[in-house]
């Protein structure tokens, strides 16, 4: 609020009018104007300036109103034109002066009472309106003064039926009190005049001009008058028109209304939602909808629930768009894009039911999204139709049975199931194997081989929820184990409480006759947390206590190293009873079965089954692919993926010698990072020195260092069948080592 300590000079006409204008629109209260003044003369001069400089304008308004009432309505006293005019001017002057004086006094009083310039504005408007109405109607006949004065003056001047009706209602309420002292006609006139002016109902005549974009928002009453107490109709449309001309200023105006103008919050929130919808319609990458959803996080009693619902649906669509983008190949991407299209269709149906003002823009946005996604679907279908072979092989991630090329590791799965289903209970299991041999795939598909009433809970220490803190580790494990069983896992704050919680869960599992298998993948990271001091070694004690005492909870650890290869933590001492099982390479039958019938385990076999002839894979058929990969599951998938891509690109049905070499080049390029990590990244300096011999030779003498020999064998890098000459067991690794290392 602006303060003034200089008052208003008696000769400063512009300053006086500016003070009135600021007081009218709630920017400055007269109590503030007088508050900083000292001395009776300065106060008196300011008061006189305020009265005298506005008096001519109030006098003219009162005079016109009085003349319209007396002569236009045929209610003049009939004493002749000159006398009637003199009487009219005298009464108009008295009413104007009374209104201005009363307005200043009432404005100061109400401003002090409400401690706001808005209160002063109400007081000033009410006082002056009452004074002018007094000047217009005083001395008029009892029965028709109100009808003529308000009907002719306000009706002809403003022409808004709603404003008159609302003014009458407000006026009667106020006038019924005033009318007791001054008479019904004068009381009602005073009340109605004050009601219309205070509520600014006469602004309503401008509403169509702003809604139809005939007037710009900076001229809108809401933009400069802070005293409106009713939601201005069409405000959101006016803000939208303004945004077309200057979006930055429109956004600032909306923010200003949301922060400082409660009565206009409805229109501001509506404008923000509609502008966000227009922005959303223009988005080409639907993943960006997450950021736009944040714009709808506003507090509003009218729209709050609906906007939260809209924001949630936008984030849902954005998440599905992100999922679709993760798939590069058309065969995998198309189902995700189809689901994205279905979510947009659902959003459009819901948006149609939201009603004005949200429905229109959001329906248009949904239709724009559908058009873009539909083009993408058509392109993906065309790409799929051109592809001679389906893109079902996937190298690098855990394979989901039924969705991608999958072959069951029957021997491994049956051995796992047998160990986990021992009649006397399994004391815990350690599953190890080199990287990219399919351990995670084996674990994630283990459920299909388990007996009834045995459930697998798969977790990984690579998850931030598992390796962030001890509390997070405990809470996540207990939450996974006891989901939906009334256990508050977040309340567990010590390993003793963790063990107590496991006891309670085990008791429930015994009663329900179910067994839970907790698989912790990448378990080595747990040892790193212990060695680094972030986890207490008691975690191993708690796991051991559960392994020994809970037959219905079976712990399975999986990683690339055995306990004795992790000397920083005494794993074997704490978990001495744990059994071990190794996951190795594909057998020849597993590789050829995968390559010949990759989608054998798809749920809709007739629709998804893909049979590939043996000569598809080039000279030597599927067996040659198995040999080139050394049976390594990752490299079998990589070579199969590269083969089908090469055939599709060439428009061929099978590999020949030239395309076979190009396929191998592509596989080396796509698999460069895993090859580097498996061969050199995991090697010690001594291991690298020995491996460097193979850059120029197919074989080398075994290492002299027994630790190096043991490590190379454990990592399954070497073929040591010829005891005097070791080679890399995977020919593709030899190619990479010679070309890139």
């Amino acid at each position: 609020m602006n303060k003034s300590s200089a008052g208003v000079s008696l000769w400063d006409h512009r300053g006086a009018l500016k003070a009135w204008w600021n007081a009218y629109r709630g920017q400055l209260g007269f109590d503030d104007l007088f508050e900083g003044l000292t001395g009776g003369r300065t106060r008196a001069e300011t008061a006189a300036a305020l009265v005298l400089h506005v008096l001519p304008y109030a006098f003219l308004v009162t005079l016109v109103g009085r003349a319209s009432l007396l002569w236009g309505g045929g209610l003049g006293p009939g004493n002749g034109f000159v006398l009637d005019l003199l009487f009219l001017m005298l009464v108009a002057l008295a009413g104007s002066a009374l209104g201005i004086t009363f307005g200043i006094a009432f404005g100061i009083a109400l401003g002090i009472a409400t401690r706001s310039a808005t209160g002063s504005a109400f007081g000033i408007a009410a006082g002056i309106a009452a004074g002018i109405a007094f000047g217009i109607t005083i001395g008029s006949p009892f029965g028709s003064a109100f009808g003529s004065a308000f009907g002719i003056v306000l009706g002809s001047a403003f022409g808004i039926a709603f404003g008159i009706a609302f003014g009458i209602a407000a006026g009667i309420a106020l006038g019924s009190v005033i009318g007791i002292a001054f008479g019904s006609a004068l009381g009602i006139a005073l009340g109605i005049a004050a009601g219309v002016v205070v509520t600014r109902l006469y602004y309503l005549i401008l509403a169509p001009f702003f809604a139809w974009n005939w007037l710009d928002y900076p001229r809108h009453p809401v933009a400069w008058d802070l005293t409106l107490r009713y939601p201005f109709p069409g405000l959101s449309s006016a803000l939208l028109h303004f945004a077309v001309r200057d979006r930055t200023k429109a956004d600032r105006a909306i923010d200003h209304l949301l922060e400082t103008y409660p009565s206009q919050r409805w229109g501001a929130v509506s404008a923000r939602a509609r502008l966000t919808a227009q922005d959303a319609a223009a988005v080409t990458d639907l993943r960006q909808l997450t950021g736009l959803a944040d714009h709808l996080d506003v507090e509003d009693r009218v729209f709050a629930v609906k906007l939260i619902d809209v924001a949630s649906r936008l984030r849902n669509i954005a998440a599905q768009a992100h999922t679709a983008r993760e798939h590069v190949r058309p065969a995998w991407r198309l189902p995700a894009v189809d689901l994205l299209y279905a979510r947009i269709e659902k959003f459009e149906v819901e948006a149609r039911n939201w009603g004005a003002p949200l429905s229109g823009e959001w329906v248009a946005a949904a239709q724009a999204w559908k058009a873009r996604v539909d083009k993408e679907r058509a392109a993906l279908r065309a790409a799929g139709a051109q592809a001679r072979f389906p893109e079902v092989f996937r190298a690098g991630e855990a394979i989901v049975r039924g969705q991608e090329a999958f072959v069951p590791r029957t021997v491994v799965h049956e051995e796992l199931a047998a160990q986990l289903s021992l009649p006397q209970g399994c004391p815990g299991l350690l599953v190890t194997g080199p990287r990219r041999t399919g351990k995670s795939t084996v674990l994630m598909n283990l459920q299909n081989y388990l007996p009834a009433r045995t459930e697998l809970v798969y977790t990984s220490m690579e998850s931030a929820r598992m390796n962030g803190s001890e509390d997070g580790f405990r809470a996540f494990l207990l939450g996974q184990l006891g989901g939906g069983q009334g256990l508050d896992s977040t309340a567990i704050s010590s390993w003793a409480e963790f063990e107590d919680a496991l006891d309670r869960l085990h008791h429930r599992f015994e009663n329900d006759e179910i067994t839970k298998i907790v698989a912790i993948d990448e378990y080595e990271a747990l040892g790193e947390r212990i060695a680094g001091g972030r986890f207490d070694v008691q975690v191993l004690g708690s796991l051991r206590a559960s392994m020994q005492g809970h037959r219905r909870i079976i712990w399975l650890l999986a990683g690339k190293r055995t306990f004795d290869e992790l000397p920083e933590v005494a794993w074997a001492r704490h978990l001495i009873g744990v059994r071990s099982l190794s996951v190795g390479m594909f057998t020849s039958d597993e590789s050829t079965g995968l390559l010949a019938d990759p989608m054998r385990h798809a749920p809709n076999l007739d629709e998804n089954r893909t049979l590939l002839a043996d000569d598809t894979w080039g000279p030597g058929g599927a067996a040659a692919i198995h040999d080139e990969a050394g049976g390594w599951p990752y490299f079998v998938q990589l070579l199969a993926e590269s083969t089908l891509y090469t055939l599709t690109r060439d428009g061929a049905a099978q590999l020949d010698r030239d395309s076979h070499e190009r396929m191998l080049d592509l596989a080396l390029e796509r698999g460069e990072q895993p090859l580097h990590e498996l061969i050199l990244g995991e090697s010690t300096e001594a291991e690298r020195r020995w491996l460097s011999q193979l850059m120029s030779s197919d074989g080398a003498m075994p290492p002299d260092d027994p630790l190096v020999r043991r490590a190379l064998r454990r990592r399954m890098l070497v073929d040591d069948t010829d005891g005097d000459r070791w080679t890399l067991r995977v020919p593709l690794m030899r190619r990479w080592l010679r070309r890139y290392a």
Side-chain angles (χ1 to χ4, degrees):
M1 182 180 297
N2 296 324
K3 299 277 186 181
S4 173
S5 59
V8 178
S9 171
L10 187 61
W11 311 107
D12 187 3
H13 182 69
R14 179 177 295 180
L17 293 182
K18 183 177 180 180
W20 277 103
W21 175 243
N22 288 333
Y24 169 80
R25 62 196 187 106
Q27 294 286 347
L28 175 68
F30 281 158
D31 53 319
D32 300 313
L33 192 65
F34 284 92
E35 181 181 341
L37 300 181
T38 58
R41 180 177 179 180
T42 306
R43 291 174 178 268
E45 183 179 357
T46 297
L50 292 174
V51 173
L52 294 176
H53 285 290
V54 81
L55 181 59
Y57 304 100
F59 170 73
L60 289 175
V61 173
T62 307
L63 184 62
V64 172
R66 179 74 178 178
S68 301
L69 172 63
L70 295 180
W71 290 328
L75 301 175
N79 296 320
F81 177 78
V82 176
L83 291 177
D84 287 350
L85 180 60
L86 291 174
F87 178 75
L88 184 152
M89 294 174 66
L90 179 62
V91 173
L93 184 61
S96 302
L98 175 63
I100 295 168
T101 305
F102 181 62
I104 293 174
F106 193 32
I108 292 173
L110 194 56
I112 293 173
T114 61
R115 298 181 181 274
S116 68
T118 304
S120 291
F122 284 152
I124 292 164
I128 293 177
I132 292 175
F134 176 82
I136 293 173
T137 59
I138 188 69
S140 301
F142 178 86
S144 59
F146 163 70
S148 297
F150 199 69
I152 295 173
V153 179
L154 289 181
S156 62
F158 306 113
I160 299 294
F162 173 75
I164 294 174
F166 192 84
I168 290 173
I172 289 175
L174 182 58
S176 62
V177 178
I178 302 174
I180 296 174
F182 297 100
S184 299
L186 177 59
I188 293 175
L190 294 176
I192 291 178
V196 172
V197 173
V198 167
T199 56
R200 309 294 207 261
L201 289 175
Y202 42 79
Y203 288 154
L204 293 174
I205 194 173
L206 301 175
F209 295 91
F210 290 105
W212 298 336
N213 200 25
W214 292 349
L215 291 175
D216 209 352
Y217 175 77
R219 296 182 175 86
H220 199 290
V222 169
W224 48 265
D225 190 337
L226 303 182
T227 63
L228 271 68
R229 283 296 180 267
Y230 57 88
F232 200 95
L235 176 59
S236 66
S237 295
L239 288 166
L240 258 65
H241 293 316
F242 185 40
V244 173
R245 187 169 66 85
D246 194 326
R247 177 59 185 271
T248 302
K249 290 183 178 179
D251 285 333
R252 285 203 298 262
I254 292 172
D255 291 337
H256 177 73
L257 293 175
L258 291 173
E259 294 171 3
T260 64
Y261 216 150
S263 64
Q264 307 308 317
R265 191 173 181 81
W266 187 92
V269 171
S270 173
R272 173 59 50 79
R274 295 171 68 185
L275 284 175
T276 302
Q278 293 177 5
D279 294 339
V283 164
T284 56
D285 185 348
L286 295 184
R287 293 176 294 179
Q288 297 174 0
L289 292 180
T290 299
L292 292 177
D294 296 338
H295 295 172
L296 302 179
D297 292 335
V298 296
E299 297 179 1
D300 185 78
R301 288 179 296 177
V302 178
F303 279 143
V305 176
K306 186 175 292 185
L307 290 182
I308 291 173
D309 190 48
V310 175
S312 174
R313 280 162 172 72
L314 289 183
R315 293 187 177 102
N316 191 21
I317 292 173
Q320 184 58 33
H322 183 77
T323 300
R325 287 282 183 178
E326 289 180 338
H327 299 294
V328 178
R329 302 175 187 176
W332 296 347
R333 189 171 182 177
L334 182 57
V337 174
D338 286 337
L339 180 56
L340 174 62
Y341 188 87
R343 290 188 179 180
I344 296 173
E345 278 191 321
K346 183 179 179 181
F347 179 90
E348 180 185 5
V349 172
E350 293 171 343
R352 292 185 185 278
N353 296 325
W354 291 339
L358 293 180
S359 181
E361 278 84 5
W362 284 110
V363 169
Q367 291 173 344
W369 303 336
K370 284 171 57 180
R372 295 189 186 98
V373 174
D374 203 34
K375 288 182 180 179
E376 184 178 5
R377 291 201 304 171
L380 290 172
R381 289 193 181 98
Q386 294 173 0
R388 187 179 184 90
F389 299 98
E391 298 176 344
V392 295
F393 293 96
R394 185 179 187 184
E397 302 292 338
I399 304 300
V400 180
R401 176 177 179 148
Q403 297 183 20
E404 294 132 353
F406 173 82
V407 62
R409 309 290 296 274
T410 305
V411 174
V412 176
H413 279 131
E414 288 181 351
E415 176 63 20
L416 272 173
Q419 292 286 348
L420 296 171
S421 305
L422 293 173
Q424 67 274 23
C426 179
L429 197 61
L430 175 63
V431 178
T432 60
R435 299 180 69 178
R436 304 292 180 178
T437 53
K439 297 185 299 298
S440 297
T441 298
V442 167
L443 295 180
M444 292 176 67
N445 292 278
L446 179 60
Q447 184 68 60
N448 299 303
Y449 297 89
L450 297 175
R453 307 191 67 77
T454 299
E455 300 175 8
L456 176 70
V457 177
Y458 176 83
T459 64
S460 174
M461 282 302 298
E462 291 185 339
S463 169
R465 292 172 294 183
M466 287 283 285
N467 66 25
S469 67
E470 288 186 341
D471 288 342
F473 177 87
R474 290 187 292 255
F476 185 71
L477 278 181
L478 292 175
Q480 294 293 99
L481 266 174
Q485 300 202 36
L487 176 67
D488 183 8
S489 58
T490 61
I492 306 301
S493 59
S494 69
W495 292 111
E497 293 176 353
F498 176 72
E499 294 178 16
D500 290 340
L502 289 177
D503 288 338
R504 295 194 297 273
L505 286 173
H506 184 258
H507 180 69
R508 293 176 186 172
F509 298 158
E510 283 187 323
N511 291 337
D512 296 339
E513 296 184 349
I514 61 174
T515 299
K516 293 288 186 84
I517 299 172
V518 186
I520 302 179
D521 206 354
E522 308 293 346
Y523 84 98
E524 295 97 333
L526 179 58
E528 294 173 4
R529 295 297 181 276
I530 296 172
R534 295 181 60 182
F535 280 28
D536 193 293
V537 72
Q538 180 56 44
V539 60
L540 300 184
S542 297
L543 291 180
R544 177 178 180 175
S546 179
M547 289 177 180
Q548 292 179 340
H550 300 150
R551 295 181 59 182
R552 292 286 183 175
I553 301 177
I554 301 174
W555 297 90
L556 187 156
L557 306 178
K560 63 182 180 180
R561 298 182 181 180
T562 57
F563 288 165
D564 62 312
E565 296 175 283
L566 301 170
E568 63 274 9
V569 174
W571 286 96
R573 182 167 61 84
H574 286 90
L575 307 180
I576 192 171
V578 169
R579 302 189 178 200
S580 298
L581 187 146
S582 178
V583 175
M585 307 303 168
F586 278 161
T587 64
S588 178
D589 289 342
E590 288 172 340
S591 292
T592 54
L594 176 71
L595 298 173
D597 194 358
M599 297 301 292
R600 178 181 179 182
H601 298 278
N604 299 318
L605 186 58
D606 294 337
E607 299 178 11
N608 296 289
R609 193 160 194 173
T610 301
L611 299 176
L612 298 172
D614 193 57
D615 58 4
T616 301
W617 308 105
I625 298 293
H626 172 81
D627 293 341
E628 181 69 32
W632 207 299
Y634 169 80
F635 295 119
V636 172
Q637 291 270 4
L638 177 65
L639 291 170
E641 172 189 308
S642 301
T643 296
L644 297 190
Y645 181 87
T646 301
L647 292 176
T648 299
R649 184 180 58 189
D650 294 349
Q654 61 189 43
L655 291 177
D656 57 22
R657 294 190 181 278
D658 290 339
S659 58
H660 184 266
E661 289 301 316
R662 284 189 280 108
M663 179 274 293
L664 291 175
D665 291 341
L666 178 63
L668 291 174
E669 179 182 344
R670 290 183 171 183
E672 200 277 334
Q673 289 300 322
L675 282 163
H676 179 277
E677 184 65 18
L678 289 171
I679 299 172
L680 301 179
E682 296 182 348
S683 297
T684 64
E685 184 61 32
E687 292 166 12
R688 291 194 193 99
R689 283 198 299 270
W690 185 86
L691 288 168
S692 66
Q693 301 176 71
L694 303 181
M695 296 173 61
S696 57
S697 173
D698 288 339
M701 294 292 293
D704 295 330
D705 188 338
L707 294 179
V708 174
R709 291 198 301 271
R710 182 174 183 273
L712 294 174
R713 282 170 168 156
R714 174 187 58 78
R715 293 166 56 200
M716 298 186 182
L717 290 181
V718 295
D719 179 0
D720 59 355
T721 53
D722 183 351
D724 295 332
R725 187 174 179 80
W726 284 11
T727 62
L728 285 175
R729 66 183 309 277
V730 179
L732 190 66
M733 286 185 173
R734 291 201 297 268
R735 295 176 187 271
W736 180 88
L737 193 63
R738 291 176 180 177
R739 179 174 301 184
Y740 293 104

